[in-house]
CSV table of all heavy atoms in Angstrom, one decimal:
chain,number,residue,atom,x,y,z
A,8,MET,N,34.4,68.9,15.2
A,8,MET,CA,35.3,68.6,16.4
A,8,MET,C,36.1,67.3,16.1
A,8,MET,O,37.3,67.2,16.5
A,8,MET,CB,34.4,68.4,17.6
A,8,MET,CG,35.0,68.4,18.9
A,8,MET,SD,35.7,69.9,19.3
A,8,MET,CE,36.1,69.7,20.9
A,9,ILE,N,35.5,66.4,15.5
A,9,ILE,CA,36.2,65.1,15.2
A,9,ILE,C,37.3,65.4,14.3
A,9,ILE,O,38.4,64.8,14.5
A,9,ILE,CB,35.2,64.1,14.6
A,9,ILE,CG1,34.1,63.5,15.8
A,9,ILE,CG2,35.9,62.8,14.1
A,9,ILE,CD1,33.1,62.7,15.3
A,10,VAL,N,37.1,66.2,13.2
A,10,VAL,CA,38.1,66.5,12.3
A,10,VAL,C,39.3,67.2,12.9
A,10,VAL,O,40.4,66.7,12.6
A,10,VAL,CB,37.5,67.3,11.0
A,10,VAL,CG1,38.6,67.8,10.2
A,10,VAL,CG2,36.5,66.5,10.4
A,11,LEU,N,39.0,68.1,13.7
A,11,LEU,CA,40.0,68.9,14.4
A,11,LEU,C,40.9,67.9,15.3
A,11,LEU,O,42.1,68.0,15.4
A,11,LEU,CB,39.5,70.1,15.2
A,11,LEU,CG,38.9,71.1,14.3
A,11,LEU,CD1,38.2,72.1,15.2
A,11,LEU,CD2,39.9,71.8,13.4
A,12,THR,N,40.2,67.0,16.1
A,12,THR,CA,40.8,66.1,16.9
A,12,THR,C,41.8,65.1,16.2
A,12,THR,O,43.0,64.8,16.6
A,12,THR,CB,39.8,65.2,17.8
A,12,THR,OG1,39.1,66.2,18.5
A,12,THR,CG2,40.4,64.4,18.7
A,13,VAL,N,41.3,64.6,15.0
A,13,VAL,CA,42.0,63.7,14.2
A,13,VAL,C,43.3,64.4,13.7
A,13,VAL,O,44.4,63.9,13.7
A,13,VAL,CB,41.2,63.1,13.1
A,13,VAL,CG1,42.0,62.3,12.1
A,13,VAL,CG2,40.1,62.1,13.8
A,14,THR,N,43.0,65.7,13.2
A,14,THR,CA,44.1,66.4,12.6
A,14,THR,C,45.3,66.7,13.7
A,14,THR,O,46.4,66.5,13.5
A,14,THR,CB,43.6,67.7,12.1
A,14,THR,OG1,42.6,67.5,11.1
A,14,THR,CG2,44.7,68.6,11.4
A,15,ALA,N,44.8,67.1,14.9
A,15,ALA,CA,45.7,67.4,16.0
A,15,ALA,C,46.5,66.1,16.3
A,15,ALA,O,47.7,66.1,16.5
A,15,ALA,CB,45.1,67.9,17.2
A,16,ALA,N,45.8,64.9,16.4
A,16,ALA,CA,46.4,63.7,16.7
A,16,ALA,C,47.5,63.3,15.6
A,16,ALA,O,48.6,62.8,15.9
A,16,ALA,CB,45.5,62.6,16.9
A,17,LEU,N,47.1,63.5,14.4
A,17,LEU,CA,48.1,63.1,13.3
A,17,LEU,C,49.2,64.1,13.3
A,17,LEU,O,50.4,63.6,13.0
A,17,LEU,CB,47.3,63.2,11.9
A,17,LEU,CG,46.3,62.1,11.7
A,17,LEU,CD1,45.5,62.3,10.4
A,17,LEU,CD2,47.1,60.7,11.6
A,18,LEU,N,49.1,65.3,13.5
A,18,LEU,CA,50.2,66.3,13.6
A,18,LEU,C,51.1,65.9,14.7
A,18,LEU,O,52.3,65.9,14.7
A,18,LEU,CB,49.7,67.7,13.8
A,18,LEU,CG,49.1,68.4,12.5
A,18,LEU,CD1,48.4,69.7,12.9
A,18,LEU,CD2,50.0,68.6,11.4
A,19,ALA,N,50.6,65.5,15.9
A,19,ALA,CA,51.4,65.1,17.0
A,19,ALA,C,52.1,63.8,16.7
A,19,ALA,O,53.3,63.7,17.0
A,19,ALA,CB,50.5,64.9,18.2
A,20,TRP,N,51.5,62.8,16.0
A,20,TRP,CA,52.1,61.6,15.7
A,20,TRP,C,53.3,61.9,14.7
A,20,TRP,O,54.3,61.2,14.7
A,20,TRP,CB,51.1,60.7,15.0
A,20,TRP,CG,51.5,59.3,14.5
A,20,TRP,CD1,52.2,58.5,15.4
A,20,TRP,CD2,51.4,58.8,13.3
A,20,TRP,NE1,52.5,57.3,14.8
A,20,TRP,CE2,52.0,57.5,13.4
A,20,TRP,CE3,50.8,59.1,12.2
A,20,TRP,CZ2,52.1,56.6,12.3
A,20,TRP,CZ3,51.0,58.2,11.1
A,20,TRP,CH2,51.4,57.0,11.2
A,21,LYS,N,53.1,62.8,13.8
A,21,LYS,CA,54.2,63.1,12.8
A,21,LYS,C,55.3,64.1,13.4
A,21,LYS,O,56.3,64.4,12.7
A,21,LYS,CB,53.6,63.9,11.6
A,21,LYS,CG,52.7,63.0,10.7
A,21,LYS,CD,53.6,62.0,10.0
A,21,LYS,CE,52.8,61.3,8.9
A,21,LYS,NZ,53.7,60.5,8.1
A,22,GLY,N,55.1,64.5,14.7
A,22,GLY,CA,56.2,65.2,15.3
A,22,GLY,C,56.2,66.8,15.0
A,22,GLY,O,57.2,67.3,15.2
A,23,PHE,N,55.1,67.3,14.7
A,23,PHE,CA,54.9,68.7,14.3
A,23,PHE,C,54.9,69.7,15.6
A,23,PHE,O,55.1,70.8,15.4
A,23,PHE,CB,53.8,69.0,13.4
A,23,PHE,CG,54.0,68.6,12.0
A,23,PHE,CD1,53.6,67.4,11.5
A,23,PHE,CD2,54.6,69.4,11.1
A,23,PHE,CE1,53.8,66.9,10.2
A,23,PHE,CE2,54.9,69.1,9.8
A,23,PHE,CZ,54.4,67.8,9.3
A,24,TYR,N,54.6,69.1,16.7
A,24,TYR,CA,54.5,69.9,17.9
A,24,TYR,C,55.8,70.0,18.6
A,24,TYR,O,56.4,68.9,18.9
A,24,TYR,CB,53.3,69.4,18.9
A,24,TYR,CG,52.0,69.5,18.3
A,24,TYR,CD1,51.2,68.4,18.1
A,24,TYR,CD2,51.5,70.6,17.8
A,24,TYR,CE1,49.9,68.4,17.6
A,24,TYR,CE2,50.2,70.7,17.3
A,24,TYR,CZ,49.5,69.6,17.2
A,24,TYR,OH,48.2,69.8,16.7
A,25,THR,N,56.2,71.2,18.9
A,25,THR,CA,57.4,71.4,19.7
A,25,THR,C,57.0,71.8,21.1
A,25,THR,O,55.8,72.1,21.4
A,25,THR,CB,58.3,72.4,19.1
A,25,THR,OG1,57.7,73.7,19.0
A,25,THR,CG2,58.7,72.0,17.8
A,26,ALA,N,58.0,72.0,22.1
A,26,ALA,CA,57.6,72.5,23.4
A,26,ALA,C,57.1,73.9,23.3
A,26,ALA,O,56.2,74.3,24.1
A,26,ALA,CB,58.8,72.4,24.2
A,27,GLN,N,57.6,74.7,22.3
A,27,GLN,CA,57.2,76.1,22.2
A,27,GLN,C,55.7,76.1,21.7
A,27,GLN,O,54.9,76.9,22.1
A,27,GLN,CB,58.1,76.8,21.3
A,27,GLN,CG,57.7,78.3,21.1
A,27,GLN,CD,58.6,79.0,20.0
A,27,GLN,OE1,59.4,78.4,19.3
A,27,GLN,NE2,58.4,80.3,19.9
A,28,THR,N,55.4,75.2,20.7
A,28,THR,CA,54.1,75.2,20.2
A,28,THR,C,53.1,74.7,21.3
A,28,THR,O,52.0,75.4,21.4
A,28,THR,CB,54.0,74.2,19.0
A,28,THR,OG1,55.0,74.4,18.0
A,28,THR,CG2,52.6,74.1,18.5
A,29,LEU,N,53.4,73.8,22.1
A,29,LEU,CA,52.5,73.4,23.1
A,29,LEU,C,52.4,74.5,24.2
A,29,LEU,O,51.3,74.7,24.7
A,29,LEU,CB,53.0,72.1,23.7
A,29,LEU,CG,53.0,70.9,22.9
A,29,LEU,CD1,53.7,69.6,23.5
A,29,LEU,CD2,51.6,70.6,22.4
A,30,GLY,N,53.4,75.2,24.5
A,30,GLY,CA,53.3,76.3,25.4
A,30,GLY,C,52.5,77.4,24.9
A,30,GLY,O,51.7,77.9,25.6
A,31,LEU,N,52.6,77.8,23.6
A,31,LEU,CA,51.9,78.9,23.1
A,31,LEU,C,50.3,78.3,23.0
A,31,LEU,O,49.4,79.2,23.2
A,31,LEU,CB,52.3,79.2,21.7
A,31,LEU,CG,53.6,79.9,21.7
A,31,LEU,CD1,54.2,80.2,20.3
A,31,LEU,CD2,53.5,81.3,22.5
A,32,THR,N,50.1,77.1,22.7
A,32,THR,CA,48.7,76.6,22.7
A,32,THR,C,48.1,76.6,24.0
A,32,THR,O,47.0,77.1,24.2
A,32,THR,CB,48.7,75.1,22.2
A,32,THR,OG1,49.3,75.1,20.9
A,32,THR,CG2,47.4,74.5,22.1
A,33,ALA,N,48.8,76.3,25.1
A,33,ALA,CA,48.4,76.4,26.5
A,33,ALA,C,48.0,77.8,26.8
A,33,ALA,O,47.1,78.1,27.6
A,33,ALA,CB,49.3,75.7,27.4
A,34,LEU,N,48.8,78.7,26.4
A,34,LEU,CA,48.7,80.1,26.8
A,34,LEU,C,47.3,80.7,26.1
A,34,LEU,O,46.7,81.5,26.6
A,34,LEU,CB,49.9,80.9,26.3
A,34,LEU,CG,50.0,82.4,26.6
A,34,LEU,CD1,50.0,82.6,28.1
A,34,LEU,CD2,51.1,83.0,25.9
A,35,ALA,N,47.1,80.2,24.8
A,35,ALA,CA,45.9,80.7,24.0
A,35,ALA,C,44.7,80.0,24.5
A,35,ALA,O,43.6,80.6,24.2
A,35,ALA,CB,46.2,80.5,22.6
A,36,LEU,N,44.7,78.9,25.1
A,36,LEU,CA,43.5,78.1,25.2
A,36,LEU,C,42.5,78.8,26.1
A,36,LEU,O,41.4,78.8,25.9
A,36,LEU,CB,43.9,76.7,25.9
A,36,LEU,CG,42.8,75.7,26.1
A,36,LEU,CD1,42.3,75.4,24.7
A,36,LEU,CD2,43.2,74.5,26.7
A,37,PRO,N,42.9,79.4,27.3
A,37,PRO,CA,41.8,80.1,28.2
A,37,PRO,C,41.1,81.2,27.3
A,37,PRO,O,39.9,81.4,27.4
A,37,PRO,CB,42.7,80.7,29.3
A,37,PRO,CG,43.9,79.9,29.3
A,37,PRO,CD,44.2,79.5,28.0
A,38,ALA,N,41.9,82.0,26.6
A,38,ALA,CA,41.2,83.1,25.8
A,38,ALA,C,40.3,82.5,24.8
A,38,ALA,O,39.2,83.0,24.5
A,38,ALA,CB,42.3,84.0,25.2
A,39,THR,N,40.7,81.5,24.1
A,39,THR,CA,39.9,80.8,23.1
A,39,THR,C,38.6,80.3,23.7
A,39,THR,O,37.5,80.5,23.2
A,39,THR,CB,40.7,79.6,22.5
A,39,THR,OG1,41.9,80.1,22.0
A,39,THR,CG2,39.8,78.9,21.4
A,40,LEU,N,38.7,79.7,25.0
A,40,LEU,CA,37.4,79.1,25.6
A,40,LEU,C,36.5,80.3,26.1
A,40,LEU,O,35.3,80.2,25.9
A,40,LEU,CB,37.8,78.2,26.8
A,40,LEU,CG,38.6,76.9,26.4
A,40,LEU,CD1,39.0,76.2,27.6
A,40,LEU,CD2,37.7,76.1,25.5
A,41,ILE,N,37.1,81.3,26.6
A,41,ILE,CA,36.3,82.5,27.0
A,41,ILE,C,35.6,83.1,25.7
A,41,ILE,O,34.4,83.4,25.7
A,41,ILE,CB,37.1,83.5,27.7
A,41,ILE,CG1,37.5,82.9,29.1
A,41,ILE,CG2,36.4,84.8,27.9
A,41,ILE,CD1,38.6,83.8,29.8
A,42,GLY,N,36.3,83.3,24.6
A,42,GLY,CA,35.8,83.8,23.4
A,42,GLY,C,34.7,83.0,22.8
A,42,GLY,O,33.6,83.5,22.4
A,43,ALA,N,34.7,81.6,22.9
A,43,ALA,CA,33.8,80.8,22.4
A,43,ALA,C,32.5,81.0,23.3
A,43,ALA,O,31.4,81.0,22.8
A,43,ALA,CB,34.3,79.3,22.4
A,44,GLN,N,32.7,81.1,24.7
A,44,GLN,CA,31.4,81.3,25.5
A,44,GLN,C,30.8,82.5,25.3
A,44,GLN,O,29.5,82.6,25.2
A,44,GLN,CB,31.9,81.0,26.9
A,44,GLN,CG,32.3,79.7,27.3
A,44,GLN,CD,31.2,78.7,27.1
A,44,GLN,OE1,30.0,79.0,27.5
A,44,GLN,NE2,31.6,77.6,26.5
A,45,VAL,N,31.5,83.6,25.0
A,45,VAL,CA,31.0,84.8,24.7
A,45,VAL,C,30.3,84.9,23.4
A,45,VAL,O,29.1,85.4,23.3
A,45,VAL,CB,32.1,86.0,24.8
A,45,VAL,CG1,31.5,87.4,24.3
A,45,VAL,CG2,32.6,86.3,26.2
A,46,GLY,N,30.8,84.2,22.5
A,46,GLY,CA,30.3,84.1,21.1
A,46,GLY,C,28.9,83.3,21.2
A,46,GLY,O,27.9,83.7,20.6
A,47,MET,N,28.8,82.3,22.0
A,47,MET,CA,27.6,81.6,22.2
A,47,MET,C,26.5,82.4,22.8
A,47,MET,O,25.4,82.3,22.4
A,47,MET,CB,27.8,80.2,22.9
A,47,MET,CG,28.5,79.3,22.2
A,47,MET,SD,27.8,78.8,20.7
A,47,MET,CE,26.3,78.0,21.2
A,48,LEU,N,26.9,83.2,23.8
A,48,LEU,CA,25.9,84.1,24.4
A,48,LEU,C,25.3,85.1,23.5
A,48,LEU,O,24.2,85.4,23.4
A,48,LEU,CB,26.6,84.8,25.7
A,48,LEU,CG,26.9,83.9,26.9
A,48,LEU,CD1,27.6,84.7,27.9
A,48,LEU,CD2,25.5,83.4,27.5
A,49,VAL,N,26.2,85.7,22.7
A,49,VAL,CA,25.8,86.6,21.6
A,49,VAL,C,24.9,86.0,20.7
A,49,VAL,O,23.8,86.5,20.3
A,49,VAL,CB,26.9,87.3,21.0
A,49,VAL,CG1,26.5,88.2,19.8
A,49,VAL,CG2,27.7,88.1,22.1
A,50,PHE,N,25.2,84.8,20.2
A,50,PHE,CA,24.6,84.0,19.2
A,50,PHE,C,23.1,83.7,19.7
A,50,PHE,O,22.2,83.9,18.9
A,50,PHE,CB,25.2,82.8,18.8
A,50,PHE,CG,24.5,81.9,17.9
A,50,PHE,CD1,24.4,82.2,16.6
A,50,PHE,CD2,23.9,80.7,18.5
A,50,PHE,CE1,23.6,81.3,15.8
A,50,PHE,CE2,23.2,79.7,17.6
A,50,PHE,CZ,23.1,80.1,16.2
A,51,ARG,N,23.0,83.4,20.9
A,51,ARG,CA,21.7,83.0,21.5
A,51,ARG,C,20.7,84.3,21.5
A,51,ARG,O,19.5,84.1,21.4
A,51,ARG,CB,21.7,82.5,22.9
A,51,ARG,CG,22.3,81.1,22.9
A,51,ARG,CD,22.3,80.4,24.3
A,51,ARG,NE,23.0,79.2,24.3
A,51,ARG,CZ,24.1,79.0,25.1
A,51,ARG,NH1,24.5,79.9,26.0
A,51,ARG,NH2,24.8,77.9,25.1
A,52,ARG,N,21.3,85.4,21.7
A,52,ARG,CA,20.5,86.7,21.8
A,52,ARG,C,20.0,87.3,20.4
A,52,ARG,O,19.2,88.2,20.4
A,52,ARG,CB,21.2,87.7,22.6
A,52,ARG,CG,21.4,87.3,24.1
A,52,ARG,CD,22.1,88.4,24.7
A,52,ARG,NE,22.3,88.0,26.2
A,52,ARG,CZ,21.6,88.5,27.1
A,52,ARG,NH1,20.8,89.5,26.8
A,52,ARG,NH2,21.8,88.2,28.4
A,53,LEU,N,20.6,86.8,19.3
A,53,LEU,CA,20.3,87.3,18.0
A,53,LEU,C,19.3,86.6,17.3
A,53,LEU,O,19.3,85.4,17.4
A,53,LEU,CB,21.6,87.3,17.2
A,53,LEU,CG,22.8,88.2,17.6
A,53,LEU,CD1,24.0,88.0,16.7
A,53,LEU,CD2,22.4,89.7,17.7
A,54,SER,N,18.5,87.3,16.6
A,54,SER,CA,17.5,86.7,15.7
A,54,SER,C,18.4,86.1,14.4
A,54,SER,O,19.5,86.5,14.3
A,54,SER,CB,16.5,87.6,15.2
A,54,SER,OG,17.0,88.6,14.4
A,55,ASP,N,17.6,85.3,13.6
A,55,ASP,CA,18.3,84.8,12.4
A,55,ASP,C,18.7,85.9,11.5
A,55,ASP,O,19.9,85.9,10.9
A,55,ASP,CB,17.4,83.9,11.6
A,55,ASP,CG,17.2,82.5,12.3
A,55,ASP,OD1,18.0,82.2,13.2
A,55,ASP,OD2,16.3,81.8,12.0
A,56,ASP,N,18.0,86.9,11.3
A,56,ASP,CA,18.3,88.1,10.5
A,56,ASP,C,19.4,88.8,11.0
A,56,ASP,O,20.3,89.3,10.4
A,56,ASP,CB,17.1,89.0,10.2
A,56,ASP,CG,16.1,88.3,9.4
A,56,ASP,OD1,16.4,87.5,8.5
A,56,ASP,OD2,14.8,88.7,9.5
A,57,GLN,N,19.4,89.1,12.3
A,57,GLN,CA,20.5,89.9,13.0
A,57,GLN,C,21.9,89.1,12.9
A,57,GLN,O,22.9,89.6,12.6
A,57,GLN,CB,20.2,90.1,14.5
A,57,GLN,CG,19.1,91.1,14.7
A,57,GLN,CD,18.7,91.1,16.2
A,57,GLN,OE1,18.7,90.1,16.8
A,57,GLN,NE2,18.5,92.3,16.7
A,58,PHE,N,21.8,87.8,13.0
A,58,PHE,CA,23.0,86.8,12.9
A,58,PHE,C,23.5,87.0,11.5
A,58,PHE,O,24.8,87.1,11.3
A,58,PHE,CB,22.7,85.5,13.3
A,58,PHE,CG,23.8,84.5,13.1
A,58,PHE,CD1,24.8,84.7,14.1
A,58,PHE,CD2,24.0,83.6,12.2
A,58,PHE,CE1,25.9,83.8,13.9
A,58,PHE,CE2,25.1,82.8,11.9
A,58,PHE,CZ,26.0,82.9,12.9
A,59,ARG,N,22.6,86.9,10.5
A,59,ARG,CA,23.0,87.0,9.1
A,59,ARG,C,23.8,88.3,8.8
A,59,ARG,O,24.8,88.3,8.2
A,59,ARG,CB,21.9,86.7,8.2
A,59,ARG,CG,22.2,86.5,6.7
A,59,ARG,CD,21.0,86.1,6.0
A,59,ARG,NE,20.3,85.0,6.4
A,59,ARG,CZ,19.0,85.0,7.0
A,59,ARG,NH1,18.3,86.1,7.0
A,59,ARG,NH2,18.5,83.9,7.4
A,60,VAL,N,23.2,89.3,9.3
A,60,VAL,CA,23.7,90.7,9.1
A,60,VAL,C,25.1,90.8,9.7
A,60,VAL,O,26.1,91.3,9.2
A,60,VAL,CB,22.9,91.9,9.5
A,60,VAL,CG1,23.6,93.2,9.6
A,60,VAL,CG2,21.7,91.9,8.6
A,61,ALA,N,25.2,90.3,11.0
A,61,ALA,CA,26.5,90.3,11.7
A,61,ALA,C,27.5,89.4,11.0
A,61,ALA,O,28.7,89.9,10.8
A,61,ALA,CB,26.3,89.9,13.2
A,62,LEU,N,27.2,88.3,10.5
A,62,LEU,CA,28.1,87.4,9.8
A,62,LEU,C,28.5,88.1,8.6
A,62,LEU,O,29.8,88.0,8.3
A,62,LEU,CB,27.4,86.1,9.5
A,62,LEU,CG,28.3,85.0,8.9
A,62,LEU,CD1,29.5,84.7,9.6
A,62,LEU,CD2,27.4,83.9,8.5
A,63,PHE,N,27.7,88.6,7.8
A,63,PHE,CA,28.1,89.4,6.6
A,63,PHE,C,29.0,90.4,6.8
A,63,PHE,O,30.0,90.8,6.2
A,63,PHE,CB,26.9,89.8,5.7
A,63,PHE,CG,26.2,88.7,5.1
A,63,PHE,CD1,24.8,88.7,4.8
A,63,PHE,CD2,26.8,87.5,4.6
A,63,PHE,CE1,24.1,87.7,4.2
A,63,PHE,CE2,26.2,86.5,3.9
A,63,PHE,CZ,24.8,86.6,3.8
A,64,GLY,N,28.7,91.2,7.9
A,64,GLY,CA,29.5,92.4,8.3
A,64,GLY,C,30.9,92.0,8.7
A,64,GLY,O,32.0,92.6,8.3
A,65,LEU,N,31.1,90.9,9.5
A,65,LEU,CA,32.4,90.3,10.0
A,65,LEU,C,33.1,89.8,8.7
A,65,LEU,O,34.4,90.0,8.6
A,65,LEU,CB,32.2,89.3,10.9
A,65,LEU,CG,31.7,89.7,12.3
A,65,LEU,CD1,31.4,88.6,13.3
A,65,LEU,CD2,32.9,90.6,12.9
A,66,MET,N,32.4,89.2,7.8
A,66,MET,CA,33.1,88.7,6.6
A,66,MET,C,33.5,89.8,5.8
A,66,MET,O,34.7,89.8,5.1
A,66,MET,CB,32.1,87.8,5.7
A,66,MET,CG,31.9,86.5,6.4
A,66,MET,SD,30.6,85.5,5.6
A,66,MET,CE,31.2,85.5,3.9
A,67,LEU,N,32.8,90.9,5.6
A,67,LEU,CA,33.2,92.1,4.9
A,67,LEU,C,34.4,92.8,5.5
A,67,LEU,O,35.4,93.1,4.8
A,67,LEU,CB,32.1,93.0,4.7
A,67,LEU,CG,32.3,94.4,4.0
A,67,LEU,CD1,32.7,94.2,2.5
A,67,LEU,CD2,31.2,95.3,4.1
A,68,PHE,N,34.4,92.9,6.8
A,68,PHE,CA,35.5,93.5,7.6
A,68,PHE,C,36.8,92.7,7.4
A,68,PHE,O,37.8,93.2,7.1
A,68,PHE,CB,35.1,93.6,9.0
A,68,PHE,CG,36.2,94.2,9.9
A,68,PHE,CD1,36.5,95.5,9.8
A,68,PHE,CD2,36.9,93.3,10.8
A,68,PHE,CE1,37.5,95.9,10.7
A,68,PHE,CE2,38.0,93.8,11.6
A,68,PHE,CZ,38.2,95.2,11.5
A,69,SER,N,36.7,91.4,7.6
A,69,SER,CA,37.9,90.5,7.5
A,69,SER,C,38.5,90.5,6.1
A,69,SER,O,39.6,90.5,5.9
A,69,SER,CB,37.7,89.2,8.1
A,69,SER,OG,36.7,88.5,7.2
A,70,GLY,N,37.5,90.5,5.1
A,70,GLY,CA,38.0,90.5,3.7
A,70,GLY,C,38.6,91.8,3.3
A,70,GLY,O,39.6,91.9,2.6
A,71,SER,N,38.2,92.9,3.9
A,71,SER,CA,38.7,94.2,3.6
A,71,SER,C,40.1,94.3,4.3
A,71,SER,O,41.0,94.9,3.6
A,71,SER,CB,37.8,95.3,4.3
A,71,SER,OG,36.6,95.3,3.6
A,72,ILE,N,40.3,93.8,5.5
A,72,ILE,CA,41.5,93.8,6.1
A,72,ILE,C,42.6,93.0,5.2
A,72,ILE,O,43.7,93.4,5.1
A,72,ILE,CB,41.5,93.3,7.6
A,72,ILE,CG1,40.6,94.2,8.4
A,72,ILE,CG2,42.9,93.0,8.2
A,72,ILE,CD1,41.1,95.6,8.6
A,73,LEU,N,42.2,91.8,4.9
A,73,LEU,CA,43.1,91.0,4.1
A,73,LEU,C,43.4,91.8,2.7
A,73,LEU,O,44.6,91.7,2.3
A,73,LEU,CB,42.4,89.6,3.7
A,73,LEU,CG,42.4,88.7,4.8
A,73,LEU,CD1,41.4,87.4,4.5
A,73,LEU,CD2,43.7,88.2,5.3
A,74,ALA,N,42.4,92.3,2.1
A,74,ALA,CA,42.7,93.0,0.9
A,74,ALA,C,43.7,94.2,1.1
A,74,ALA,O,44.6,94.5,0.3
A,74,ALA,CB,41.5,93.6,0.2
A,75,LEU,N,43.5,95.0,2.2
A,75,LEU,CA,44.4,96.1,2.5
A,75,LEU,C,45.8,95.6,2.8
A,75,LEU,O,46.7,96.3,2.4
A,75,LEU,CB,43.8,96.9,3.7
A,75,LEU,CG,42.6,97.7,3.4
A,75,LEU,CD1,42.0,98.3,4.6
A,75,LEU,CD2,43.0,98.8,2.4
A,76,ARG,N,45.9,94.5,3.5
A,76,ARG,CA,47.3,94.0,3.8
A,76,ARG,C,48.0,93.6,2.5
A,76,ARG,O,49.2,93.8,2.4
A,76,ARG,CB,47.1,92.7,4.7
A,76,ARG,CG,46.8,93.0,6.0
A,76,ARG,CD,46.7,91.8,6.9
A,76,ARG,NE,47.9,91.0,6.9
A,76,ARG,CZ,48.0,89.8,7.3
A,76,ARG,NH1,46.9,89.3,7.9
A,76,ARG,NH2,49.1,89.0,7.2
A,77,GLU,N,47.3,93.2,1.5
A,77,GLU,CA,47.9,92.8,0.2
A,77,GLU,C,48.3,94.0,-0.6
A,77,GLU,O,49.3,94.0,-1.3
A,77,GLU,CB,47.0,92.0,-0.6
A,77,GLU,CG,46.9,90.5,-0.1
A,77,GLU,CD,48.2,89.8,0.0
A,77,GLU,OE1,48.9,89.9,-1.0
A,77,GLU,OE2,48.4,89.2,1.0
A,78,LEU,N,47.5,95.2,-0.5
A,78,LEU,CA,47.8,96.3,-1.2
A,78,LEU,C,49.0,97.2,-0.6
A,78,LEU,O,49.6,98.0,-1.2
A,78,LEU,CB,46.6,97.2,-1.2
A,78,LEU,CG,45.5,96.7,-2.0
A,78,LEU,CD1,44.2,97.5,-1.9
A,78,LEU,CD2,45.9,96.6,-3.6
A,79,VAL,N,49.2,97.0,0.8
A,79,VAL,CA,50.2,97.9,1.5
A,79,VAL,C,51.6,97.1,1.4
A,79,VAL,O,51.7,96.0,1.3
A,79,VAL,CB,49.9,98.1,2.9
A,79,VAL,CG1,50.9,98.7,3.7
A,79,VAL,CG2,48.6,98.9,3.0
């Protein structure tokens, strides 16, 4: 969290944020917070083995999507 906060502050200091960027960030923030809460609820209900399998499955899925995007 500290790294992300420092990065955001440095980007703001360097002038990388525009009105459009801030508007889109504000638009995405509620969905991000809701997704984080849902993720924590799911994480609490999984055993370590179930979490490991879910993590590997998501990594395989996202890697496959990236590979397919490069091939098409």
Side-chain angles (χ1 to χ4, degrees):
M8 188 73 157
I9 292 171
V10 171
L11 294 175
T12 302
V13 169
T14 302
L17 289 173
L18 288 171
W20 183 52
K21 291 287 191 176
F23 282 94
Y24 294 124
T25 63
Q27 182 183 11
T28 304
L29 294 175
L31 291 172
T32 300
L34 185 65
L36 189 61
T39 302
L40 294 175
I41 291 169
Q44 291 300 313
V45 170
M47 289 303 296
L48 289 172
V49 171
F50 173 73
R51 286 188 195 123
R52 292 178 180 255
L53 296 177
S54 69
D55 287 345
D56 289 335
Q57 290 172 323
F58 178 75
R59 192 174 302 112
V60 168
L62 182 63
F63 287 146
L65 288 171
M66 289 173 56
L67 178 65
F68 177 73
S69 65
S71 299
I72 296 297
L73 288 172
L75 285 173
R76 285 179 55 189
E77 290 300 317
L78 292 174
V79 174

